[in-house]
Amino acid sequence: MRDKNSCEEIEQSIRKRFRKSIWRKFTKALNQYDLIRKKDRIAVCISGGKDSMLMAKLFQELKLHNKFDFDVKFLVMDPGYSPANRAAIEENAAWLGVPVSIYESDIFSAVYHIEKSPCYLCARMRRGHLYHFAKELGCNKIALGHHYDDVIETILMGMLYGAQMQTMMPKLHSANFPGMELIRPMYLIREEDIQAWRDYNGLRFLQCACKFTENCEDCSIETSSKRLEVKELIRQMKLTNPFVEGNIFKSVENVNLDTVIAYKKDGVKHSFLEGYEEK
């Protein structure tokens, strides 16, 4: 692989080569979903992967064009990385010019011997720690690097494996940390464009740095999961329907409650039979 670009070249690629596919979709999500407001103090959460590292650079670019006053902090929560993976994250952050604050935890050790859904438990625990450390930094929001493909895969996974219709929201209030909010500024950016940005600049990031995968020969290779099954399902459907991804995404924007058997609102289940006779 060729040498990676300099920090200046990487930033220039966001402004020029990937302006339409990445930068404009980033700012569109900010505006469309009202993700940032005046006086916000945002903890940009960096896991070491391509998505969160790009998000950090996008926030730095955004600060250069400040239209209103807000602040960002770049937060790395170390849940128990191996020394090599920890070093890789620190080296990438330094190369990209991202001033990270690193906090320690022992989450990987806590979930390592959990046989059922260790990744789900790990994700929940990491989220809680991120909120906690963000509050220590004086932040009122945490920003996560989930992208468009994560959204459509989550929709299908909920239907096929969870027997429910739901989506990954662009923002939501924390249930356990009053006054804190989670935002997803990469919501409209396609994964293939993130990969193109990474490869164009010769960058190499961690895919998963947990104890289940740290000994693999290439940690950029995703491990088998239900999400991978859904990725493949979408890829197959796209062969005959090029609009399938957009249709999945829009499906949760076009819910017709008149044709829904039941739904939940604020944790309370409602049935179509409520008021049916009156109609």
Side-chain angles (χ1 to χ4, degrees):
M1 184 175 69
R2 66 182 175 84
D3 292 338
K4 57 187 174 184
N5 287 344
S6 68
C7 182
E8 292 76 14
E9 291 172 321
I10 292 168
E11 293 169 348
Q12 188 73 358
S13 73
I14 293 173
R15 301 184 191 116
K16 300 263 186 180
R17 187 180 186 91
F18 298 99
R19 182 176 184 83
K20 181 177 180 181
S21 60
I22 291 178
W23 174 250
R24 287 184 181 174
K25 291 183 178 180
F26 174 72
T27 56
K28 181 180 179 180
L30 297 182
N31 294 323
Q32 183 169 321
Y33 302 117
D34 189 25
L35 299 184
I36 300 179
R37 295 185 175 182
K38 291 180 181 179
K39 305 300 181 181
D40 274 346
R41 192 175 178 92
I42 303 166
V44 178
C45 300
I46 299 171
S47 66
K50 66 185 188 310
D51 309 326
S52 60
M53 284 294 192
L54 172 57
M55 180 174 64
K57 296 307 298 180
L58 291 171
F59 268 102
Q60 285 185 321
E61 184 69 18
L62 188 67
K63 285 293 291 180
L64 296 176
H65 309 284
N66 257 5
K67 294 184 178 180
F68 54 83
D69 182 33
F70 73 97
D71 195 15
V72 291
K73 297 292 182 180
F74 300 99
L75 168 61
V76 174
M77 192 272 294
D78 182 347
Y81 294 133
S82 68
N85 284 334
R86 167 75 174 257
I89 294 173
E90 292 175 333
E91 289 167 8
N92 275 326
W95 185 267
L96 292 169
V98 178
V100 297
S101 297
I102 303 179
Y103 291 80
E104 312 282 346
S105 73
D106 60 354
I107 293 174
F108 284 170
S109 295
V111 303
Y112 186 62
H113 297 291
I114 302 296
E115 293 185 4
K116 187 175 181 180
S117 303
C119 294
Y120 174 77
L121 178 60
C122 179
R124 286 185 62 86
M125 292 178 68
R126 291 174 76 163
R127 180 86 51 91
H129 278 72
L130 288 172
Y131 276 124
H132 175 74
F133 294 137
K135 288 199 76 169
E136 285 191 3
L137 290 171
C139 297
N140 65 306
K141 292 181 178 179
I142 64 171
L144 302 184
H146 297 116
H147 49 68
Y148 185 98
D149 296 77
D150 289 325
V151 176
I152 61 175
E153 290 159 13
T154 298
I155 294 170
L156 280 190
M157 287 174 68
M159 295 173 63
L160 300 177
Y161 303 117
Q164 56 189 343
M165 184 67 184
Q166 62 179 20
T167 189
M168 178 182 284
M169 298 296 287
K171 66 178 181 179
L172 65 155
H173 294 290
S174 171
N176 300 315
F177 293 83
M180 295 291 291
E181 193 174 1
L182 180 154
I183 61 173
R184 294 185 168 103
M186 309 271 283
Y187 203 78
L188 300 178
I189 300 176
R190 296 305 307 266
E191 184 175 28
E192 64 184 8
D193 293 321
I194 300 172
Q195 292 168 336
W197 170 82
R198 175 199 63 193
D199 296 342
Y200 174 80
N201 288 295
L203 298 169
R204 181 179 174 83
F205 300 116
L206 299 179
Q207 175 61 39
C208 179
C210 76
K211 290 188 176 182
F212 293 103
T213 59
E214 65 184 8
N215 294 321
C216 64
E217 293 182 359
D218 183 357
C219 285
S220 66
I221 299 175
E222 292 183 84
T223 55
S224 178
S225 67
K226 295 300 182 186
R227 188 169 292 275
L228 274 183
E229 291 180 15
V230 170
K231 279 181 181 290
E232 177 60 20
L233 175 61
I234 294 173
R235 190 190 71 80
Q236 290 291 336
M237 291 191 294
K238 191 177 178 181
L239 296 177
T240 55
N241 179 4
F243 306 107
V244 68
E245 294 155 312
N247 289 343
I248 296 171
F249 187 91
K250 292 174 185 176
S251 69
V252 292
E253 297 179 348
N254 298 314
V255 178
N256 185 349
L257 291 182
D258 290 332
T259 63
V260 172
I261 300 294
Y263 66 94
K264 287 183 179 179
K265 175 67 176 174
D266 299 326
V268 179
K269 188 172 182 178
H270 300 272
S271 168
F272 82 102
L273 291 174
E274 296 174 14
Y276 176 78
E277 294 302 332
E278 286 80 357
K279 293 180 181 179

